[in-house]
Amino acid sequence: MGTDAITEFVEEKVVDALRELLATDDMDKVREDAMIVAGAFVGGGSQPDDLKASEQRLLQSFQKNIILLVQKTWVEKDDVSLKEQVLYKLGQFCTAMQDNHWTALYPSFREIITDVVYLMFGTQAKSKDFDEYALRIDPEFGIFWWYFTQLPASVDWSDEKSLYVLLVGMFFLANY
């Protein structure tokens, strides 16, 4: 997704914060940038409370909302097994979160989100213009999708940085 399209929906400081979040290893800067990006998910308004203090509640809300999204999504008969697989992977992911090996969980998070978005939007989610489509039909979801698509496919970050990057995505999904 081009920067021009997303800046119609978020301030330039959010775009800069995501760029810095992905590039830095300075944990103070990671936390600050994570809160700026997460703030964009709530209409660009107030930032969430201290992410560390609300982590447990956030993880529970994330799990519950993903389960609801998957269960309430109508799918073609061919995708019923994918729904079951996503729910299974989500359960495994949420159990593994207790180990705090966030970098190891990063690929699972990306896979779960990709599958959930496919279940929600079908083949449209795989089209080249899905980014802009998502922004136009639901700007809040579109901003989240922009965030998600900017994340690298694999990372070698510290567990703390991975935690904050995942918490930003979970923050949106826990409140969607």
Side-chain angles (χ1 to χ4, degrees), residues 24-60:
T24 189
D25 290 326
D26 176 349
M27 286 306 113
D28 290 335
K29 189 68 178 146
V30 166
R31 281 187 289 278
E32 176 186 325
D33 291 335
M35 291 183 71
I36 290 170
V37 174
F41 297 154
V42 290
S46 63
Q47 296 171 1
D49 294 336
D50 177 30
L51 291 176
K52 195 69 172 167
S54 57
E55 180 181 322
Q56 189 61 28
R57 190 179 82 242
L58 179 64
L59 296 176
Q60 290 171 347

Short mmCIF file of all heavy atoms in Angstrom, two decimals, residues 24-60:
data_model
loop_
_atom_site.label_atom_id
_atom_site.label_comp_id
_atom_site.label_asym_id
_atom_site.label_seq_id
_atom_site.Cartn_x
_atom_site.Cartn_y
_atom_site.Cartn_z
N THR A 24 14.07 0.21 14.63
CA THR A 24 14.89 0.44 15.82
C THR A 24 14.94 -0.76 16.75
O THR A 24 14.03 -1.59 16.76
CB THR A 24 14.38 1.68 16.61
OG1 THR A 24 15.34 1.98 17.63
CG2 THR A 24 13.02 1.43 17.24
N ASP A 25 16.01 -0.81 17.53
CA ASP A 25 16.13 -1.80 18.60
C ASP A 25 16.11 -1.12 19.97
O ASP A 25 16.24 -1.79 20.99
CB ASP A 25 17.43 -2.60 18.45
CG ASP A 25 17.38 -3.54 17.26
OD1 ASP A 25 16.29 -4.07 16.95
OD2 ASP A 25 18.44 -3.74 16.63
N ASP A 26 15.92 0.19 19.98
CA ASP A 26 15.82 0.97 21.21
C ASP A 26 14.43 0.73 21.80
O ASP A 26 13.43 1.19 21.27
CB ASP A 26 16.04 2.44 20.90
CG ASP A 26 15.85 3.36 22.10
OD1 ASP A 26 15.34 2.91 23.15
OD2 ASP A 26 16.20 4.55 21.97
N MET A 27 14.36 -0.03 22.91
CA MET A 27 13.07 -0.43 23.47
C MET A 27 12.21 0.74 23.93
O MET A 27 10.99 0.67 23.85
CB MET A 27 13.25 -1.44 24.61
CG MET A 27 13.64 -2.83 24.14
SD MET A 27 12.49 -3.50 22.91
CE MET A 27 13.54 -3.54 21.49
N ASP A 28 12.81 1.81 24.38
CA ASP A 28 12.02 2.99 24.75
C ASP A 28 11.32 3.54 23.51
O ASP A 28 10.14 3.88 23.54
CB ASP A 28 12.88 4.08 25.38
CG ASP A 28 13.38 3.69 26.77
OD1 ASP A 28 12.70 2.86 27.43
OD2 ASP A 28 14.42 4.21 27.19
N LYS A 29 12.03 3.59 22.39
CA LYS A 29 11.47 4.07 21.14
C LYS A 29 10.43 3.08 20.60
O LYS A 29 9.39 3.49 20.07
CB LYS A 29 12.59 4.31 20.11
CG LYS A 29 12.14 5.00 18.87
CD LYS A 29 11.73 6.44 19.15
CE LYS A 29 11.33 7.12 17.87
NZ LYS A 29 10.27 8.09 18.06
N VAL A 30 10.67 1.79 20.74
CA VAL A 30 9.71 0.77 20.31
C VAL A 30 8.39 0.96 21.05
O VAL A 30 7.32 0.98 20.45
CB VAL A 30 10.28 -0.66 20.54
CG1 VAL A 30 9.18 -1.71 20.42
CG2 VAL A 30 11.40 -0.96 19.55
N ARG A 31 8.46 1.11 22.38
CA ARG A 31 7.24 1.31 23.18
C ARG A 31 6.51 2.58 22.76
O ARG A 31 5.29 2.57 22.58
CB ARG A 31 7.57 1.35 24.67
CG ARG A 31 7.80 0.00 25.29
CD ARG A 31 7.95 0.08 26.80
NE ARG A 31 9.20 0.71 27.19
CZ ARG A 31 10.37 0.08 27.26
NH1 ARG A 31 10.44 -1.20 26.97
NH2 ARG A 31 11.45 0.72 27.64
N GLU A 32 7.25 3.67 22.60
CA GLU A 32 6.64 4.95 22.21
C GLU A 32 5.97 4.84 20.84
O GLU A 32 4.82 5.25 20.67
CB GLU A 32 7.74 6.02 22.18
CG GLU A 32 7.28 7.37 21.71
CD GLU A 32 8.46 8.33 21.57
OE1 GLU A 32 9.41 8.27 22.38
OE2 GLU A 32 8.42 9.16 20.63
N ASP A 33 6.68 4.26 19.87
CA ASP A 33 6.12 4.12 18.53
C ASP A 33 4.94 3.16 18.50
O ASP A 33 3.96 3.38 17.78
CB ASP A 33 7.20 3.65 17.54
CG ASP A 33 8.26 4.72 17.28
OD1 ASP A 33 7.94 5.92 17.44
OD2 ASP A 33 9.39 4.35 16.92
N ALA A 34 5.00 2.08 19.28
CA ALA A 34 3.90 1.12 19.34
C ALA A 34 2.63 1.81 19.83
O ALA A 34 1.54 1.58 19.30
CB ALA A 34 4.25 -0.05 20.26
N MET A 35 2.77 2.68 20.81
CA MET A 35 1.59 3.38 21.34
C MET A 35 1.03 4.37 20.32
O MET A 35 -0.18 4.54 20.22
CB MET A 35 1.93 4.04 22.67
CG MET A 35 2.16 2.97 23.75
SD MET A 35 2.48 3.64 25.37
CE MET A 35 0.86 4.25 25.79
N ILE A 36 1.90 5.01 19.55
CA ILE A 36 1.42 5.94 18.52
C ILE A 36 0.64 5.18 17.45
O ILE A 36 -0.46 5.58 17.05
CB ILE A 36 2.60 6.71 17.89
CG1 ILE A 36 3.18 7.70 18.91
CG2 ILE A 36 2.16 7.45 16.62
CD1 ILE A 36 4.49 8.34 18.50
N VAL A 37 1.19 4.05 16.99
CA VAL A 37 0.51 3.26 15.96
C VAL A 37 -0.80 2.70 16.50
O VAL A 37 -1.85 2.77 15.85
CB VAL A 37 1.42 2.14 15.42
CG1 VAL A 37 0.65 1.23 14.47
CG2 VAL A 37 2.64 2.74 14.71
N ALA A 38 -0.78 2.14 17.70
CA ALA A 38 -2.01 1.60 18.29
C ALA A 38 -3.06 2.69 18.45
O ALA A 38 -4.26 2.44 18.29
CB ALA A 38 -1.71 0.93 19.63
N GLY A 39 -2.63 3.91 18.75
CA GLY A 39 -3.56 5.03 18.86
C GLY A 39 -4.30 5.29 17.56
O GLY A 39 -5.45 5.72 17.58
N ALA A 40 -3.69 4.99 16.43
CA ALA A 40 -4.35 5.18 15.14
C ALA A 40 -5.51 4.21 14.96
O ALA A 40 -6.44 4.48 14.21
CB ALA A 40 -3.34 5.00 14.00
N PHE A 41 -5.47 3.08 15.66
CA PHE A 41 -6.54 2.10 15.55
C PHE A 41 -7.82 2.54 16.24
O PHE A 41 -8.87 1.99 16.01
CB PHE A 41 -6.12 0.74 16.12
CG PHE A 41 -4.97 0.09 15.40
CD1 PHE A 41 -4.16 -0.80 16.07
CD2 PHE A 41 -4.70 0.36 14.07
CE1 PHE A 41 -3.10 -1.42 15.42
CE2 PHE A 41 -3.64 -0.25 13.42
CZ PHE A 41 -2.85 -1.13 14.10
N VAL A 42 -7.70 3.52 17.11
CA VAL A 42 -8.89 4.03 17.80
C VAL A 42 -9.22 5.42 17.24
O VAL A 42 -9.46 6.35 17.98
CB VAL A 42 -8.72 4.04 19.34
CG1 VAL A 42 -8.71 2.63 19.87
CG2 VAL A 42 -7.46 4.77 19.77
N GLY A 43 -9.20 5.50 15.93
CA GLY A 43 -9.58 6.74 15.27
C GLY A 43 -8.55 7.84 15.37
O GLY A 43 -8.88 9.01 15.21
N GLY A 44 -7.30 7.49 15.64
CA GLY A 44 -6.25 8.48 15.74
C GLY A 44 -6.34 9.27 17.03
O GLY A 44 -5.60 10.21 17.24
N GLY A 45 -7.25 8.88 17.89
CA GLY A 45 -7.46 9.61 19.13
C GLY A 45 -6.47 9.20 20.20
O GLY A 45 -5.29 9.03 19.94
N SER A 46 -6.99 9.01 21.38
CA SER A 46 -6.12 8.73 22.51
C SER A 46 -5.41 7.41 22.34
O SER A 46 -5.93 6.47 21.75
CB SER A 46 -6.93 8.71 23.80
OG SER A 46 -7.88 7.68 23.75
N GLN A 47 -4.21 7.37 22.86
CA GLN A 47 -3.43 6.16 22.80
C GLN A 47 -3.90 5.21 23.89
O GLN A 47 -4.48 5.64 24.88
CB GLN A 47 -1.95 6.49 22.99
CG GLN A 47 -1.43 7.37 21.87
CD GLN A 47 -0.04 7.88 22.16
OE1 GLN A 47 0.56 7.57 23.17
NE2 GLN A 47 0.47 8.68 21.27
N PRO A 48 -3.66 3.93 23.73
CA PRO A 48 -4.08 3.00 24.78
C PRO A 48 -3.28 3.25 26.04
O PRO A 48 -2.23 3.87 26.01
CB PRO A 48 -3.73 1.63 24.17
CG PRO A 48 -2.65 1.90 23.18
CD PRO A 48 -2.94 3.28 22.65
N ASP A 49 -3.79 2.72 27.15
CA ASP A 49 -3.06 2.81 28.40
C ASP A 49 -1.73 2.10 28.23
O ASP A 49 -1.49 1.43 27.23
CB ASP A 49 -3.85 2.14 29.52
CG ASP A 49 -5.13 2.86 29.84
OD1 ASP A 49 -5.21 4.08 29.56
OD2 ASP A 49 -6.07 2.21 30.33
N ASP A 50 -0.89 2.20 29.21
CA ASP A 50 0.40 1.53 29.20
C ASP A 50 0.21 0.08 28.75
O ASP A 50 -0.53 -0.69 29.37
CB ASP A 50 1.00 1.58 30.61
CG ASP A 50 2.30 0.83 30.71
OD1 ASP A 50 3.04 0.76 29.70
OD2 ASP A 50 2.59 0.31 31.81
N LEU A 51 0.85 -0.27 27.64
CA LEU A 51 0.66 -1.60 27.06
C LEU A 51 1.04 -2.72 28.02
O LEU A 51 0.39 -3.75 28.06
CB LEU A 51 1.46 -1.73 25.76
CG LEU A 51 0.99 -0.88 24.59
CD1 LEU A 51 1.93 -1.02 23.41
CD2 LEU A 51 -0.42 -1.27 24.19
N LYS A 52 2.08 -2.52 28.80
CA LYS A 52 2.53 -3.57 29.72
C LYS A 52 1.48 -3.84 30.80
O LYS A 52 1.20 -4.98 31.11
CB LYS A 52 3.86 -3.16 30.35
CG LYS A 52 4.59 -4.27 31.01
CD LYS A 52 5.10 -5.25 30.00
CE LYS A 52 6.01 -6.26 30.62
NZ LYS A 52 6.26 -7.38 29.74
N ALA A 53 0.87 -2.78 31.32
CA ALA A 53 -0.10 -2.92 32.41
C ALA A 53 -1.36 -3.64 31.95
O ALA A 53 -2.01 -4.33 32.72
CB ALA A 53 -0.44 -1.55 32.99
N SER A 54 -1.75 -3.48 30.70
CA SER A 54 -3.00 -4.07 30.24
C SER A 54 -2.79 -5.31 29.36
O SER A 54 -3.71 -5.79 28.71
CB SER A 54 -3.82 -3.03 29.47
OG SER A 54 -3.07 -2.52 28.40
N GLU A 55 -1.58 -5.86 29.37
CA GLU A 55 -1.24 -6.98 28.51
C GLU A 55 -2.15 -8.19 28.70
O GLU A 55 -2.66 -8.75 27.71
CB GLU A 55 0.21 -7.38 28.77
CG GLU A 55 0.70 -8.53 27.94
CD GLU A 55 2.15 -8.88 28.27
OE1 GLU A 55 2.96 -7.97 28.52
OE2 GLU A 55 2.45 -10.07 28.28
N GLN A 56 -2.40 -8.62 29.91
CA GLN A 56 -3.20 -9.82 30.13
C GLN A 56 -4.62 -9.65 29.62
O GLN A 56 -5.17 -10.52 28.95
CB GLN A 56 -3.21 -10.20 31.62
CG GLN A 56 -3.83 -11.56 31.89
CD GLN A 56 -3.10 -12.70 31.20
OE1 GLN A 56 -1.91 -12.65 30.94
NE2 GLN A 56 -3.83 -13.75 30.87
N ARG A 57 -5.24 -8.51 29.94
CA ARG A 57 -6.60 -8.24 29.47
C ARG A 57 -6.63 -8.19 27.94
O ARG A 57 -7.54 -8.69 27.30
CB ARG A 57 -7.11 -6.93 30.07
CG ARG A 57 -8.59 -6.71 29.81
CD ARG A 57 -9.11 -5.42 30.42
NE ARG A 57 -8.80 -4.31 29.54
CZ ARG A 57 -8.02 -3.28 29.81
NH1 ARG A 57 -7.43 -3.18 30.97
NH2 ARG A 57 -7.82 -2.33 28.93
N LEU A 58 -5.61 -7.60 27.38
CA LEU A 58 -5.51 -7.49 25.92
C LEU A 58 -5.42 -8.87 25.27
O LEU A 58 -6.11 -9.15 24.29
CB LEU A 58 -4.28 -6.65 25.56
CG LEU A 58 -3.99 -6.44 24.09
CD1 LEU A 58 -5.11 -5.64 23.44
CD2 LEU A 58 -2.67 -5.70 23.93
N LEU A 59 -4.60 -9.74 25.82
CA LEU A 59 -4.44 -11.08 25.25
C LEU A 59 -5.76 -11.86 25.32
O LEU A 59 -6.13 -12.55 24.37
CB LEU A 59 -3.34 -11.84 25.98
CG LEU A 59 -1.93 -11.25 25.85
CD1 LEU A 59 -0.94 -12.04 26.70
CD2 LEU A 59 -1.48 -11.18 24.42
N GLN A 60 -6.49 -11.72 26.43
CA GLN A 60 -7.77 -12.40 26.55
C GLN A 60 -8.79 -11.85 25.56
O GLN A 60 -9.52 -12.61 24.91
CB GLN A 60 -8.31 -12.27 27.97
CG GLN A 60 -7.51 -13.07 28.97
CD GLN A 60 -7.90 -12.77 30.42
OE1 GLN A 60 -8.60 -11.81 30.69
NE2 GLN A 60 -7.43 -13.60 31.33
#
